[in-house]
Amino acid sequence: MPEANKIDLSGDGGVLKEILQEGKGTETPHSGCTVSLHYTGRLVDGTEFDSSVGRNEPFEFPLGKGNVIKAFDMGVATMKLGERCFLTCAPNYAYGAAGSPPAIPPDATLIFELEMLGWKGEDLSPNQDGSIDRTILEASDKKRTPSDGAFVKAHISGSFGGHVFEDRDVEFDYGEGKAIGIAEGLEIALEKMNIGETSRIKIQAKYAFGAEGNEEFKIPPNSAVEYTGLEEWKLSDEERLAEAKAYKEKGTNYFKKENWALAIKMYTKCKNLLPNTADTNEEVKKVKVATHSNIALCHQKSNDHFEAKQECNAVLALDESNVKALYRRGQCNLTINELEDALEDFQKVIQLEPGNKAAANQVIICKQKLKESKNKEKKLYANMFTKLAANDKEFGCEAKLSKVSAPNPWRTSTAPAGGRKINENKALSSARERYNPIGTALAPCRICRQKVHQMGAHYCQACAYKKAICAMCGKKIMNTKNYKQSST
């Protein structure tokens, strides 16, 4: 599939999804679901390092709980039932600089082939027997749940066999739901739901209408039912925007106090509360852009430049000409040594604001760092080749002489040596003459004064070996391991 058809799930190219087979329906698993899938993991060179298919054992894990690599949580959350896809994961979304030895080397990009087999919701039943199953349809960051005696407002919609038997707003004190016809399993589920959360709840008979069923709703005995519940009433877009602005103001107050962690927390609440109308509502878009931008700045102050970059990407997705986001992303790229990306960001800032001196200075810095990086790389390779050449020069004579061996005058083989007759070398040796395959016009050894073995040599092989020197030039050789000496 062409690169253009790959889906960038992380916004920075770190997690790319390539659909091989479309799934069924529109539903995807949410955080808290236990998903079941098959996977095959490979390195970019095609080496397979793990596969649930080979074991014929589906892999199950709770989604969004950090039990798997980041790319898995991100990619699997977008998959429909029966979908097959490739998931390409950059090192920072997989096993990072450490890798997972011995199968996965450090800084390895991984490619997973995934097949979604299914998922089940979170088990909320008291005995953990699957009788109350919750699947979150719309999450909420408001980590508040009703306690015993608390006043609960919710919208519920119950269905059986595809037929909706009730759809109403309810208000009751928690623990007293039965008085207004709330099924026990639904009340248990509402206790676990956060304010603002929408969930689908599947309830088995013992926590629904039991062995009696419900004649009014036309529910047969011992039947499971399904509810969709929203904890607390839905705020209007205007109410959500007003509450979001209040959290944004809190975040700004913490920012002024340099409490970056709490500032990020408040800004995140603001971001999650904003209605999904940024495309049509300029005021919502303005608040959303400002919130992402402020979160990015907080992350920069906390030296978390990777997260800051993600927030800048979110701003630029809403406003591609946002100078602040481009400049801050450039700073993040420069800090994490993504020099070419940083240069591109700062140059875009100058295109939008030709008089921006800060961006112009950053362009100079980027170009200087790129030049230094290239020079360093050039020097590294130059040194590498210089060392290789030096090694060749130092050990060239040794390598050459290692191929030359003097004949053994005591050899008993019937094969002729050096073109002489059998036993002729022995006779020559006994006359204290050395074998010369080239001729007799060779210089005498400068040590023992015997004739050398090779044209151009100044030392015989025996003396060269004993003195650990090169027979050609007389240079000291530290390692005589490969120096062949067949006669003494």
Side-chain angles (χ1 to χ4, degrees):
M1 185 178 288
E3 190 74 22
N5 292 330
K6 292 184 179 180
I7 305 167
D8 187 354
L9 300 182
S10 59
D12 61 355
V15 182
L16 298 176
K17 177 183 173 184
E18 180 181 329
I19 297 176
L20 304 176
Q21 176 181 301
E22 291 286 352
K24 301 174 183 177
T26 59
E27 287 190 24
T28 57
H30 287 260
S31 180
C33 287
T34 299
V35 297
S36 176
L37 52 82
H38 270 311
Y39 72 90
T40 299
R42 299 182 179 91
L43 304 179
V44 290
D45 64 1
T47 303
E48 182 179 309
F49 57 85
D50 194 13
S51 175
S52 65
V53 179
R55 296 190 298 270
N56 195 27
E57 181 181 337
F59 177 55
E60 294 187 355
F61 68 96
L63 186 62
K65 302 299 182 181
N67 291 17
V68 291
I69 59 175
K70 288 182 183 178
F72 252 57
D73 271 336
M74 294 175 67
V76 173
T78 68
M79 296 181 69
K80 301 171 186 175
L81 183 64
E83 180 178 314
R84 288 178 57 245
C85 70
F86 280 135
L87 203 65
T88 303
C89 321
N92 51 320
Y93 289 97
Y95 292 95
S100 183
I104 301 174
D107 290 318
T109 296
L110 307 180
I111 302 174
F112 287 95
E113 183 177 350
L114 306 179
E115 180 183 3
M116 175 60 76
L117 302 178
W119 62 86
K120 56 185 179 182
E122 186 179 359
D123 187 1
L124 302 180
S125 58
N127 297 324
Q128 295 292 292
D129 57 5
S131 52
I132 304 175
D133 181 274
R134 175 183 68 169
T135 300
I136 298 174
L137 303 179
E138 185 177 341
S140 170
D141 69 315
K142 296 182 178 181
K143 305 301 180 185
R144 291 181 289 161
T145 57
S147 56
D148 195 39
F151 185 68
V152 177
K153 290 184 178 182
H155 180 85
I156 61 173
S157 177
S159 62
F160 171 76
H163 169 69
V164 177
F165 58 81
E166 68 171 329
D167 190 349
R168 56 178 173 145
D169 293 316
V170 294
E171 298 182 10
F172 62 97
D173 291 326
Y174 182 74
E176 302 176 10
K178 191 174 181 179
I180 60 168
I182 300 293
E184 182 183 2
L186 178 58
E187 189 167 6
I188 291 172
L190 289 172
E191 180 192 12
K192 305 294 184 182
M193 291 171 61
N194 294 323
I195 294 174
E197 175 188 313
T198 303
S199 291
R200 181 175 63 245
I201 304 140
K202 296 179 180 179
I203 308 172
Q204 298 300 316
K206 69 176 181 178
Y207 288 109
F209 300 105
E212 296 80 19
N214 188 300
E215 187 176 345
E216 179 186 354
F217 293 151
K218 298 180 181 180
I219 307 295
N222 299 313
S223 298
V225 296
E226 184 175 303
Y227 275 93
T228 300
L230 168 63
E231 184 74 43
E232 197 182 46
W233 66 93
K234 271 192 175 179
L235 299 174
S236 67
D237 287 350
E238 291 77 14
E239 289 172 326
R240 292 170 71 93
L241 179 58
E243 192 168 346
K245 285 181 176 179
Y247 277 116
K248 181 175 178 289
E249 186 63 30
K250 288 182 180 180
T252 302
N253 290 335
Y254 283 119
F255 181 88
K256 291 176 180 177
K257 296 175 183 178
E258 298 187 358
N259 191 331
W260 316 125
L262 279 176
I264 291 171
K265 187 175 182 180
M266 294 300 108
Y267 285 136
T268 302
K269 286 180 178 289
C270 168
K271 177 181 67 176
N272 292 338
L273 266 171
L274 287 169
N276 298 320
T277 56
D279 294 337
T280 57
N281 190 318
E282 280 300 318
E283 188 176 7
V284 171
K285 180 179 177 180
K286 183 179 177 181
V287 174
K288 200 165 189 175
V289 165
T291 302
H292 280 294
S293 185
N294 290 346
I295 295 174
L297 184 55
C298 289
H299 281 306
Q300 279 186 299
K301 297 288 187 181
S302 305
N303 291 319
D304 192 347
H305 298 282
F306 179 78
E307 291 297 333
K309 181 179 176 179
Q310 302 308 306
E311 295 297 332
C312 291
N313 288 337
V315 174
L316 294 169
L318 295 166
D319 179 10
E320 62 181 8
S321 299
N322 190 286
V323 172
K324 279 187 178 180
L326 283 168
Y327 187 84
R328 286 174 183 165
R329 189 173 71 175
Q331 287 179 313
C332 294
N333 282 325
L334 185 59
T335 303
I336 63 179
N337 214 33
E338 297 286 350
L339 301 178
E340 292 182 354
D341 290 342
L343 179 60
E344 184 179 348
D345 284 334
F346 292 129
Q347 287 175 335
K348 285 182 181 178
V349 171
I350 293 174
Q351 289 175 6
L352 296 168
E353 290 185 358
N356 194 313
K357 293 182 179 180
N361 290 334
Q362 295 292 344
V363 167
I364 294 172
I365 292 171
C366 286
K367 287 182 177 179
Q368 181 62 31
K369 285 184 174 290
L370 279 168
K371 184 178 179 181
E372 291 173 359
S373 177
K374 288 178 180 178
N375 287 339
K376 186 177 180 181
E377 184 176 316
K378 185 177 179 181
K379 186 177 179 181
L380 175 66
Y381 285 116
N383 288 340
M384 184 185 300
F385 291 127
T386 301
K387 289 179 180 178
L388 288 173
N391 288 338
D392 286 344
K393 184 176 181 181
E394 181 175 354
F395 298 108
C397 294
E398 179 187 354
K400 185 176 181 181
L401 285 175
S402 67
K403 300 178 182 178
V404 179
S405 60
N408 187 346
W410 311 112
R411 65 184 292 163
T412 57
S413 170
T414 57
R420 293 190 179 274
K421 298 178 181 179
I422 296 174
N423 293 327
E424 186 174 357
N425 285 342
K426 185 175 181 181
L428 290 171
S429 179
S430 63
R432 301 199 57 80
E433 291 185 13
R434 295 189 178 272
Y435 167 67
N436 178 13
I438 301 172
T440 57
L442 291 176
C445 172
R446 291 181 179 179
I447 297 175
C448 70
R449 310 309 297 172
Q450 298 294 323
K451 290 180 181 179
V452 297
H453 294 83
Q454 188 172 357
M455 184 71 74
H458 295 295
Y459 302 91
C460 71
Q461 196 174 23
C463 291
Y465 183 79
K466 290 175 183 177
K467 299 292 185 180
I469 60 174
C470 171
M472 303 290 288
C473 61
K475 186 176 180 180
K476 189 73 173 177
I477 298 174
M478 300 304 295
N479 182 7
T480 59
K481 180 179 179 182
N482 295 323
Y483 196 99
K484 294 182 181 179
Q485 173 68 13
S486 60
S487 65
T488 57

